[in-house]
Amino acid sequence: MSDYVSASAIKDLLTECPICTEHFDEVRRIPRRMPCCVQSICQACLETYSEGLPTLSCPMCRHQHNLPGGVKSLPKEPIILRILDHLKIVKGLHLPCTDCPDGNPAMSRCDDCGVFLCQECLNAHKRVKSMRDHQTVSFDDMRERPVESFRRLHKCTQHHQPLQFYCHTCDQVVCVSCTVVEHDKGSGHNVVSVENAHESKAAENEDVLQRLDEKGIALEKAAEDLQKKCDSIKSSRSTAKDDINKAFTNLMEALQQRKTIMLSEVDRRSDEALKPAEEALDSTVTLLTNVKSSTEYTRQMRGKADKIEDLQVMGSSAASLNSILAETPKDDGFDRIGISFVSACFKKITSLMQIAGIVRVVSFAKRPDNVPLNKIYNSITLDQGTLEQAAAAEYMNLEPVGGSGMYYADLEWDSSTASAQLTVSGSVVTNKMPVHPPPASSCRLQSNRRVLASTPLVVGKGQRIMCAMRVTFSVITLEEKDKFIFEAAFTHSPIESTKIQRVGLSVRISTCSNHDE
């Protein structure tokens, strides 16, 4: 019969390496506790990751460790090794006698000495006068016991006496001889009983775990929001590509080269826009995974540990847990961002061939602290490439008005930014729901009945530009107070807001309570 327990039999008992998913053993896959993320990883995996070097990047959280003594300098996880022994007993597998030089199969265990005994060594054990009162338990009886009852005798490695005290000053479990020598109260050491120390440490550890639970919930929400942002950017990329294909379908073969450039630009810009969100998502998911695994692992370890082991677990993991608690995921730095294609300047496509179309990044900044959550208010940023290309397009698109030194600009509208309540067709904007719902896009304004011009209006030094706009409207229901109906605004920086613009140049149309229209 094999000396190993199958992985499926112990999957839920902390005895499976999280990297290779193989079960731990005491020969090759010895569980080694990582000091960074409160996890145990088998020695074989750690040796593979370290490649024989004195440095190791943790496979779980990527923390860098300097290990002059190699992987074997990391502490073994005694709780897991104890559980493995218990499982071997439960499964009836071979356990060698601790005292027997011949390695005969053990049949029982001494709870006082913490050793496994074959039948011959058990008889000898009982004949020793100092051991006659020891409690020995047969493997048959132990199979009926839970793993928590499978205890070890914890002794001081220096004085070989039972560990009964805890030194808060040194954060170490000690024996009675230690309290007289190295951990003397007269030397300023704060020494208490194991029971008192366990009670206080358990309360501290539970508080940290509770806060980690709360942080896990917040990280889950952050990861969900970031995933939505990533999906939205990808969706806007798809929408922008569809717009490009639709616009260029009507052009002649001469436009094919430009079409290829635009599609490539969409990919480049969308990848640049997607990168910070994906990095923030990866950082958040990594931290969330670390929080969950550390919290779950610590709770499981503590659930299987006695008080001594629990104190050791809490002592060794306190710094790591607090470090994880203090860690924050990477911020993506924006609220919404999307990619759009603007079908601008197509009326003069012959002269504008080299600059036809614009792939731009429309980034919506996060809400200012002084704006209520129920109000839409975002500053909108257009990337520098958009402005430079818009300036070149505007220069070719301006028409002089007589000899007045004034130029006329023909405005077009960006349908990808239009809110869902508008129908946009070229230079015409209709205040009604479109027949077919517009495609989802993170470039789209969420304020009711809003749309951006297709290109920024770049006014050169000494230029005067005139724009013509025709507005037709009818009032359905008059109200006692003036009701805002329409606004055209020119601002230095666009803002998505439900409020009337207070900066730049704007024209507003409102109803009058003293007139019928």
Side-chain angles (χ1 to χ4, degrees), residues 71-217:
V71 169
K72 293 182 180 179
S73 64
L74 291 171
K76 295 181 181 180
E77 185 48 79
I79 300 176
I80 292 178
L81 295 175
R82 176 167 60 86
I83 294 173
L84 282 174
D85 288 342
H86 180 264
L87 283 170
K88 287 185 177 182
I89 294 173
V90 172
K91 297 293 179 180
L93 303 180
H94 174 73
L95 269 174
C97 176
T98 305
D99 294 340
C100 185
D102 300 326
N104 292 329
M107 306 295 293
S108 60
R109 182 179 184 273
C110 177
D111 284 345
D112 295 275
C113 299
V115 296
F116 297 109
L117 302 168
C118 65
Q119 188 61 51
E120 184 178 347
C121 290
L122 175 62
N123 296 334
H125 197 79
K126 291 180 178 180
R127 286 196 297 269
V128 178
K129 184 177 181 180
S130 61
M131 301 179 182
R132 289 177 183 174
D133 296 331
H134 284 201
Q135 182 69 32
T136 58
V137 185
S138 68
F139 282 1
D140 290 335
D141 292 336
M142 292 184 68
R143 292 188 183 98
E144 306 300 324
R145 293 184 177 185
V147 66
E148 289 80 8
S149 65
F150 189 65
R151 303 296 183 188
R152 288 188 174 187
L153 181 63
H154 301 282
K155 288 186 177 181
C156 175
T157 56
Q158 182 178 357
H159 303 108
H160 306 290
Q161 292 182 323
L163 297 173
Q164 298 174 314
F165 300 93
Y166 183 81
C167 178
H168 280 290
T169 306
C170 302
D171 198 17
Q172 183 180 350
V173 185
V174 298
C175 70
V176 64
S177 295
C178 292
T179 63
V180 178
V181 186
E182 296 89 347
H183 303 273
D184 182 18
K185 291 185 177 181
S187 301
H189 287 256
N190 180 14
V191 180
V192 298
S193 68
V194 163
E195 287 74 15
N196 290 340
H198 181 269
E199 182 178 355
S200 62
K201 286 287 186 179
E204 294 174 6
N205 185 265
E206 189 58 37
D207 178 66
V208 172
L209 293 176
Q210 179 65 32
R211 286 188 287 164
L212 283 171
D213 284 337
E214 296 172 357
K215 184 170 185 174
I217 294 174

Side-chain angles (χ1 to χ4, degrees), residues 496-515:
E496 181 187 14
S497 174
T498 56
K499 300 178 181 179
I500 297 174
Q501 298 298 321
R502 302 297 185 187
V503 295
L505 174 64
S506 64
V507 177
R508 296 187 292 272
I509 298 177
S510 303
T511 60
C512 178
S513 58
N514 298 324
H515 298 82

